[in-house]
Amino acid sequence: MILQLITSFIAAATFCILFNAPKSALLQCGFAGMVGWMVYVILDVECGPVVATFAATVVVGIVSQLFARSFKMPVIIFSVGGIIPLVPGGLAYDAMRRFVEENYNLAVEIAVRALMLSGAIAAGLVLSEVIGQMFRRRASKA
């Protein structure tokens, strides 16, 4: 698991380099990706990949909002880098390969799995944004 955490940290941080994130944010981007992957690995066995992806994305979104407030940067810098380890790119590739090989039943099955994981990522980011707005409203009232 430690190797997976290190790899997810590196993947998130290097993607942020491609995304032209500020150099001062690379460690935080890597940390967001690592935390998301850790939540995913822990929950995948118990809850399945879709729920684990959703929960991990919510955690990445919350961590990203905390980093954005702390370092006075846009949330998207941390959230995009943080979700990179969770993106089902391998499944999408396998689905397209099965379509090309004319194995349509398996292709559709794999494509639906990739779509469900992508939907879980989108829903998790939306939920984390809503949670962030709720806390900001409470903080401004107090």
Side-chain angles (χ1 to χ4, degrees):
M1 181 164 170
I2 292 175
L3 183 61
Q4 288 185 17
L5 294 178
I6 292 169
T7 305
S8 62
F9 179 91
I10 292 169
T14 53
F15 185 80
C16 285
I17 292 170
L18 295 174
F19 191 58
N20 287 330
K23 290 180 182 178
S24 60
L26 294 180
L27 289 176
Q28 292 85 6
C29 290
F31 182 77
M34 184 178 70
V35 168
W37 187 254
M38 182 175 62
V39 170
Y40 174 80
V41 168
I42 291 169
L43 293 179
D44 185 36
V45 176
E46 297 279 329
C47 306
V50 175
V51 174
T53 300
F54 175 75
T57 305
V58 169
V59 170
V60 166
I62 291 170
V63 167
S64 298
Q65 295 212 12
L66 293 173
F67 283 159
R69 288 183 146 268
S70 298
F71 298 102
K72 297 184 182 0
M73 294 182 185
V75 176
I76 196 163
I77 290 173
F78 305 108
S79 62
V80 169
I83 64 168
I84 287 302
L86 303 171
V87 172
L91 279 178
Y93 173 80
D94 286 341
M96 291 308 297
R97 193 177 95 213
R98 302 294 187 218
F99 274 118
V100 170
E101 293 172 350
E102 297 180 1
N103 190 349
Y104 299 118
N105 290 334
L106 186 57
V108 169
E109 179 184 329
I110 295 171
V112 167
R113 272 193 271 154
L115 182 65
M116 288 174 54
L117 292 173
S118 300
I121 291 171
L125 286 174
V126 168
L127 181 62
S128 67
E129 179 64 31
V130 169
I131 291 170
Q133 287 179 4
M134 286 176 27
F135 282 117
R136 281 192 295 264
R137 283 187 189 155
R138 284 197 181 186
S140 66
K141 288 182 182 178

